[in-house]
Amino acid sequence: RYFLVGSNPAETKYRVLKIDRTEPKDLVIIDDKHVYTQQEVRELLGRLDLGNRTKMGQKGSSGLSRAVSAFGIVGFVRFLEGYYIVLITKRRKMADIGGHAIYKIEDTNMIYIPNDSVRVSHPDEARYLRIFQNVDLSSNFYFSYSYDLSHSLQYNLTVLRMPLETLKTETTQTRQESFDIFEDEGLSTQGGSGVFGICSKPYEKYVWNAKLLEAVRTAVHRDWLLYIIHGFCGQSKLLIYGRPIYVTLIARRSSKFAGTRFLKRGANCEGDVANEVETEQILYDASVMSFSAGSYSSYVQVRGSVPLYWSQDISTMMPKPPITLDQADPYAHVAALHFDQMLQRFGSPIIILNLVKEREKRKHERILSEELVAAVTYLNQFLPPEHAIIYIPWDMAKYTKSKLCNVLDRLNVIAESVVKKTGFFVNRPDSYCSILRPDEKWNELGGCVVSTGRLQTGILRTNCVDCLDRTNTAQFMVGKCALAYQLYSLGLIDKPNLQFDTDAVRLFEELYEDHGDTLSLQYGGSQLVHRVKTYRKIAPWTQHSKDIMQTLSRYYSNAFSDADRQDSINLFLGVFKPAEGKPHLWELPTDFYLHHKNTLSLSQTRQSYTYWWTTGVLKHLPLPFDEVSCAENRRKLTVKKFHKYEEEIDIHNEFFRPYELSSFDETFCLAMTNSTRDFMPKNVGIDPSPFTVRKPDETGKSVLGNKNNREETVLQRKTAASAPPPPSEEAVSSSSEDDSGTDKEDEGAVSQRSTPVKVTDAGDNTKITENVVQSTKDVYGVNLSDIPSEDDLAIYARFVQLGQSQHKQDKGSQQFCSKHTLDKVINLIPISSFSQDNIYEVQPPRADRKSIEIFHAHIQAGRGNMQPLGRDDFLMYREYIRNRYM
């Protein structure tokens, strides 16, 4: 047998899975449904070790040996023989959202479960295993133990605000059928010690291991299930005068109709489109981690292929194969299914930004535009006018070639109108300063305003033909516009505008370029060809040769390696399931029938040509149906009861890990990309604001001292796909042995876009340090060692005398003077919340009696006079000890 021992991060609670290895083709997993303490699990493993030895009392031959240590289970898969288990053996922290860590998979291990004695070998098993492992799980797959990555931040925080009483009454009826019979053991709601948490089902469209977990989903406790997403995740720190603001970009690639560039185009019969990616930018003040007390904001947009039945034939070996429409769809059936999904998830309005070419000598891309216009026009006939789909066509390629037009200026106008229509999510009401001095653009903002903040209603859907280069630039411009509104809503800038060549926009642009490169590698086989700098027309001349190389790389990948990658994706996602007597995956002439289910069996239900949306969706618009509190959505939620001192809900212990030795050099939040360290000029100390426009050559990367320093310090930032893997977190064991460390948290030693520094030897080290230290003249613009001139000293002395004479005046004379003289000149209205407010004094806040007692007790404790402990203190301490150690 295999025994899987899992623990929480603090290693105070354990669960055990038993996997039977005597079944050659079936998966037999037993969950004992019990939570163990560390002592109990050691005793259990000790007894198993003793009972499985060949001779009683023989210590040399252990009956229980450790096979592997891991951070999570990706899933279970079977081809033609028995089942394999896929385990995560290395991980790296990539982002942090409200204290919830997001990890990237760095390495995995596949273990064959059945024993060799019962194994029934098959000649094609090894080939299927090779195809399955061709999906590189160490390349841009992400997971989190406590945060739902398949949903947006708006959904996750909206669920937390759902009325708990309704959920509790619904779940109380099914409590007897609860999976874990010991789940509520020791938890009592008396005295307020019980805390309820809400857990939602993941959105399966963006979960890539849903099929791999299908075999065990109902057999094991939900804590064993780890859902992974594929796409991109990056985080950078924007420092605003020392205030840390985390800018996070998460891209979720759809697992439906997934594949490579020329082999997956358009949509399938269920409305899922190729290369569909949901991009979410999250902004929050990192000085407060809590979701309930912190300030969080997000904006979501989508890219995806044109939702029609179309394809490109690559057998002709042409760089641009002709576009063909495969099926006639006069009633826009497939587009209706696609937009119905979007209305459920995002609400209205749906805005389509179509960037394909409108004017061509030979009709190529225009075929898609004409069909898409016809589909949108047909579907809009039946929607209410206020919720109609908005279609914006814009030939980006034509504007790029024109010398008179500025592409990004035009995109900025489109971005402003889009963000005004959809709004964005923020979890706090408008700040007092924006109410006091409202901005014109702020008042015109759309979305839904609620008592707790703002909700984004509707979505921007951007597409070109490939949804790579043009789409990424357009999404960056919309994201930049939304970022300005997000910063304004959190009270960080005075107007919702951001200029190019500021540290904030440079940081955001680099995030988006890493995001675009990663998505382009996944779908097209190369990095971006045209970047933001290309469309700004400030790209260096060396960029053209790089663009040519990327084009050739993309062409080679599409021609020679895409078919193998497509087979691997089909096998990994469970689209194709090997079976005896069926043709093998490599024998199929096409995978069209695998992705279009209606070719194999007719659907029993037929969708209406006019009422093409799901029942109930229209009633709640513009709000998304998935976020509305209704019976159907409540069934997707699970309420779990916790103890109020439990580690699982203690975000402080989860984030700071007081039970481990922490090193500042290895702490993720200090090693991540930083606007001050990586983007702010090193020799400019006059204005450290990240919103100040810099000269193009004034960046933290270019101002690095002399040539020797540049040669010895390698500061080349790379994308996640092309960079060599940094030192990642190695799995450390956590079972019955004395070393109890499962996770040494070597996370964040080098972040995804961090700066690797190559140091040659100790002598060069000292040289680098000397070059970095700059004079006060370079940093502050003045030399502090110079003696002030006589004129400056005279002005300063006069200023001091004025201040002293003013201070000597009594308050009575000040009041008399101001009352009789100044009232005639100017009438000042106090706007401060302090009753007395001037440069000398303010009225101190009033402290209540309990606070004063606590303060006096604190002072006495510092002098050695301890206060006697009360009954409540004893009860709290006893509760803590019982929960922690018993």
Side-chain angles (χ1 to χ4, degrees):
R1 289 191 182 93
Y2 277 135
F3 290 93
L4 261 68
V5 182
S7 78
N8 60 349
E11 293 178 19
T12 56
K13 292 187 176 181
Y14 293 81
R15 289 184 182 273
V16 179
L17 281 184
K18 185 169 66 175
I19 303 176
D20 191 359
R21 301 184 66 196
T22 58
E23 291 290 336
K25 291 195 174 182
D26 293 329
L27 183 64
V28 179
I29 291 187
I30 300 164
D31 189 342
D32 62 3
K33 304 180 182 179
H34 184 67
V35 179
Y36 297 89
T37 63
Q38 193 175 69
Q39 185 64 30
E40 287 172 347
V41 85
R42 284 184 178 179
E43 291 172 0
L44 173 68
L45 294 173
R47 287 196 299 272
L48 289 170
D49 182 36
L50 196 64
N52 285 285
R53 286 178 186 161
T54 52
K55 292 180 182 178
M56 288 298 291
Q58 184 179 354
K59 293 187 178 178
S61 60
S62 174
L64 198 67
S65 62
R66 181 175 302 153
V68 69
S69 297
F71 291 116
I73 303 171
V74 175
F76 298 83
V77 64
R78 178 181 174 269
F79 307 121
L80 296 169
E81 295 180 11
Y83 274 90
Y84 297 82
I85 181 172
V86 187
L87 298 168
I88 301 166
T89 53
K90 288 184 188 175
R91 69 181 188 186
R92 178 154 56 102
K93 190 171 178 179
M94 297 304 298
D96 194 281
I97 301 177
H100 300 270
I102 297 171
Y103 297 98
K104 177 178 179 284
I105 298 175
E106 287 287 300
D107 198 10
T108 54
N109 193 0
M110 280 186 77
I111 298 174
Y112 188 66
I113 292 174
N115 271 321
D116 291 339
S117 58
V118 297
R119 182 168 187 169
V120 181
S121 60
H122 194 284
D124 294 315
E125 179 77 8
R127 187 167 181 181
Y128 274 117
L129 182 61
R130 203 162 50 246
I131 292 172
F132 182 86
Q133 290 176 332
N134 200 21
V135 173
D136 187 6
L137 278 167
S138 64
S139 175
N140 311 116
F141 283 88
Y142 305 91
F143 69 93
S144 175
Y145 298 112
S146 52
Y147 182 79
D148 187 356
L149 284 171
S150 66
H151 283 292
S152 65
L153 181 75
Q154 175 170 317
Y155 178 90
N156 288 334
L157 295 191
T158 305
V159 161
L160 291 177
R161 287 198 299 269
M162 281 198 174
L164 191 62
E165 295 303 319
T166 316
L167 292 170
K168 276 199 288 188
T169 53
E170 288 187 5
T171 53
T172 309
Q173 299 166 1
T174 59
R175 179 149 305 163
Q176 298 301 322
E177 299 140 15
S178 172
F179 174 84
D180 194 342
I181 55 174
F182 296 102
E183 191 154 26
D184 294 338
E185 184 181 5
L187 296 184
S188 170
T189 51
Q190 293 176 3
S193 61
V195 178
F196 288 94
I198 301 173
C199 177
S200 62
K201 281 185 181 176
Y203 192 64
E204 291 210 355
K205 185 176 189 175
Y206 297 113
V207 174
W208 275 64
N209 63 335
K211 292 287 183 185
L212 301 179
L213 292 172
E214 217 170 36
V216 297
R217 188 171 292 174
T218 56
V220 302
H221 191 270
R222 62 174 169 267
D223 288 349
W224 287 103
L225 304 176
L226 198 63
Y227 298 101
I228 63 172
I229 66 163
H230 184 38
F232 173 80
C233 177
Q235 189 172 58
S236 295
K237 186 193 299 182
L238 181 65
L239 277 175
I240 305 175
Y241 295 104
R243 187 175 180 183
I245 306 298
Y246 284 5
V247 183
T248 314
L249 208 58
I250 298 174
R252 309 172 184 93
R253 181 174 288 284
S254 170
S255 62
K256 309 291 184 185
F257 203 50
T260 52
R261 186 184 176 201
F262 284 125
L263 298 176
K264 285 290 161 282
R265 295 295 212 190
N268 66 3
C269 62
E270 295 173 353
D272 302 308
V273 297
N275 195 21
E276 183 173 9
V277 183
E278 179 181 303
T279 300
E280 180 179 23
Q281 61 189 58
I282 298 172
L283 191 82
Y284 75 95
D285 188 345
S287 53
V288 181
M289 286 192 306
S290 163
F291 275 143
S292 53
S295 302
Y296 291 81
S297 176
S298 74
Y299 183 77
V300 181
Q301 47 186 325
V302 170
R303 67 173 70 183
S305 191
V306 179
L308 306 166
Y309 289 120
W310 66 279
S311 62
Q312 285 179 283
D313 184 15
I314 56 170
S315 60
T316 55
M317 295 292 287
M318 293 170 60
K320 284 188 178 181
I323 292 172
T324 55
L325 293 171
D326 299 330
Q327 295 181 35
D329 193 7
Y331 299 106
H333 174 70
V334 66
L337 288 170
H338 177 67
F339 292 126
D340 181 34
Q341 286 181 17
M342 297 188 77
L343 285 173
Q344 286 187 61
R345 183 161 170 85
F346 305 112
S348 70
I350 296 170
I351 304 169
I352 302 170
L353 178 56
N354 186 18
L355 303 174
V356 304
K357 294 176 183 175
E358 298 287 338
R359 294 182 180 179
E360 298 171 299
K361 292 179 183 177
R362 180 173 61 87
K363 204 171 178 182
H364 181 64
E365 295 184 10
R366 191 153 51 95
I367 297 170
L368 299 176
S369 286
E370 291 172 355
E371 285 294 317
L372 184 59
V373 168
V376 171
T377 307
Y378 173 80
L379 295 175
N380 273 341
Q381 296 177 84
F382 312 108
L383 279 176
E386 64 271 20
H387 303 309
I389 300 168
I390 301 169
Y391 179 75
I392 305 173
W394 189 57
D395 189 343
M396 191 168 171
K398 185 186 82 172
Y399 272 79
T400 307
K401 292 173 185 174
S402 170
K403 293 182 181 179
L404 302 174
C405 303
N406 188 321
V407 176
L408 298 189
D409 283 352
R410 172 64 181 151
L411 272 176
N412 196 51
V413 173
I414 294 172
E416 285 282 353
S417 65
V418 165
V419 176
K420 280 180 183 175
K421 286 184 176 73
T422 62
F424 63 96
F425 169 72
V426 63
N427 73 330
R428 50 175 268 183
D430 294 351
S431 56
Y432 183 66
C433 60
S434 61
I435 297 170
L436 200 63
R437 296 183 294 276
D439 190 86
E440 293 178 5
K441 290 161 66 176
W442 184 254
N443 293 333
E444 298 170 3
L445 200 61
C448 183
V449 182
V450 292
S451 59
T452 53
R454 288 177 174 269
L455 299 177
Q456 178 181 346
T457 57
I459 192 76
L460 171 68
R461 186 195 188 280
T462 312
N463 73 269
C464 48
V465 177
D466 296 322
C467 302
L468 297 178
D469 302 349
R470 287 175 277 181
T471 298
N472 200 66
T473 303
Q475 283 197 331
F476 163 73
M477 289 302 295
V478 176
K480 171 178 163 289
C481 175
L483 182 70
Y485 279 102
Q486 289 175 285
L487 288 164
Y488 180 79
S489 70
L490 300 185
L492 301 170
I493 52 177
D494 58 348
K495 289 187 177 181
N497 289 320
L498 283 178
Q499 300 295 324
F500 273 106
D501 296 320
T502 58
D503 297 342
V505 173
R506 279 173 175 163
L507 177 142
F508 189 65
E509 182 182 335
E510 184 152 313
L511 261 178
Y512 248 98
E513 291 214 342
D514 285 356
H515 158 268
D517 281 335
T518 307
L519 297 180
S520 183
L521 271 164
Q522 292 163 9
Y523 183 65
S526 77
Q527 295 183 4
L528 289 173
V529 176
H530 302 298
R531 301 171 180 276
V532 176
K533 287 186 176 63
T534 311
Y535 291 105
R536 287 185 72 193
K537 299 180 181 175
I538 60 168
W541 62 272
T542 53
Q543 185 66 38
H544 299 302
S545 60
K546 291 179 185 175
D547 291 350
I548 293 167
M549 290 305 297
Q550 295 295 350
T551 306
L552 292 174
S553 171
R554 191 176 287 183
Y555 176 70
Y556 173 83
S557 174
N558 300 152
F560 300 107
S561 63
D562 276 7
D564 293 336
R565 286 173 57 209
Q566 185 65 56
D567 284 347
S568 303
I569 291 169
N570 289 341
L571 188 62
F572 184 86
L573 291 174
V575 177
F576 177 86
K577 293 180 180 177
E580 291 285 352
K582 281 177 60 178
H584 293 302
L585 179 60
W586 51 87
E587 293 173 351
L588 297 177
T590 176
D591 65 351
F592 180 84
Y593 306 102
L594 300 176
H595 291 275
H596 294 77
K597 303 288 172 55
N598 60 354
T599 57
L600 300 176
S601 62
L602 290 173
S603 174
Q604 298 299 318
T605 57
R606 177 170 290 187
Q607 190 180 17
S608 169
Y609 290 145
T610 54
Y611 297 102
W612 51 266
W613 50 86
T614 304
T615 309
V617 168
L618 213 61
K619 184 171 66 174
H620 298 288
L621 290 179
L623 290 173
F625 180 74
D626 286 355
E627 295 173 17
V628 174
S629 179
C630 62
E632 186 178 337
N633 287 337
R634 283 197 292 270
R635 280 196 291 271
K636 299 175 186 175
L637 304 176
T638 308
V639 177
K640 185 180 176 184
K641 197 193 296 181
F642 295 95
H643 202 282
K644 68 178 180 180
Y645 298 114
E646 200 163 340
E647 287 93 345
E648 195 173 343
I649 58 170
D650 188 350
I651 205 71
H652 179 273
N653 278 6
E654 175 74 22
F655 182 77
F656 289 103
R657 297 180 179 266
Y659 41 82
E660 284 181 0
L661 177 65
S662 301
S663 168
F664 280 150
D665 294 335
E666 297 168 356
T667 305
F668 170 73
C669 59
L670 300 178
M672 67 195 292
T673 306
N674 187 315
S675 64
T676 304
R677 184 181 64 226
D678 299 326
F679 292 92
M680 196 175 83
K682 299 294 183 286
N683 62 347
V684 179
I686 299 165
D687 190 357
S689 169
F691 308 115
T692 302
V693 178
R694 319 277 189 200
K695 293 177 184 176
D697 57 340
E698 279 185 353
T699 63
K701 297 175 192 175
S702 60
V703 186
L704 286 170
N706 56 22
K707 287 185 179 178
N708 293 331
N709 197 4
R710 286 183 194 172
E711 289 169 2
E712 290 159 7
T713 310
V714 180
L715 289 170
Q716 185 179 3
R717 299 157 67 86
K718 297 185 179 266
T719 63
S722 60
S728 61
E729 222 175 309
E730 295 284 352
V732 184
S733 61
S734 70
S735 69
S736 61
E737 307 205 6
D738 290 337
D739 57 327
S740 58
T742 13
D743 178 7
K744 294 304 178 191
E745 279 302 336
D746 188 17
E747 55 202 18
V750 181
S751 72
Q752 182 172 348
R753 295 167 319 286
S754 64
T755 311
V757 179
K758 174 187 167 189
V759 181
T760 52
D761 55 29
D764 292 334
N765 251 345
T766 53
K767 192 191 299 180
I768 290 172
T769 312
E770 288 169 3
N771 288 333
V772 170
V773 176
Q774 298 165 346
S775 65
T776 52
K777 177 73 174 174
D778 291 337
V779 178
Y780 298 105
V782 293
N783 197 346
L784 299 181
S785 61
D786 293 343
I787 300 172
S789 63
E790 291 185 4
D791 292 343
D792 292 337
L793 285 172
I795 292 169
Y796 180 68
R798 189 176 174 193
F799 172 75
V800 171
Q801 288 174 0
L802 283 170
Q804 288 174 343
S805 61
Q806 175 69 20
H807 191 54
K808 288 175 184 175
Q809 286 189 350
D810 60 327
K811 287 186 181 178
S813 63
Q814 283 182 4
Q815 291 172 359
F816 180 80
C817 178
S818 62
K819 186 176 180 181
H820 292 279
T821 310
L822 294 179
D823 280 353
K824 298 175 182 177
V825 180
I826 189 168
N827 187 15
L828 296 175
I829 301 170
I831 60 169
S832 171
S833 58
F834 292 102
S835 56
Q836 296 178 9
D837 187 7
N838 55 47
I839 61 172
Y840 300 113
E841 60 178 336
V842 293
Q843 186 175 0
R846 294 179 182 175
D848 57 7
R849 184 179 172 185
K850 189 174 181 182
S851 301
I852 294 170
E853 287 174 359
I854 292 171
F855 180 70
H856 283 309
H858 174 70
I859 296 296
Q860 292 300 321
R863 293 172 180 167
N865 303 325
M866 299 301 295
Q867 298 289 323
L869 294 175
R871 182 171 175 274
D872 292 341
D873 299 323
F874 275 116
L875 287 174
M876 185 182 292
Y877 182 68
R878 186 182 300 163
E879 202 75 49
Y880 170 76
I881 293 296
R882 182 186 302 156
N883 183 59
R884 180 79 181 179
Y885 300 107
M886 312 240 344

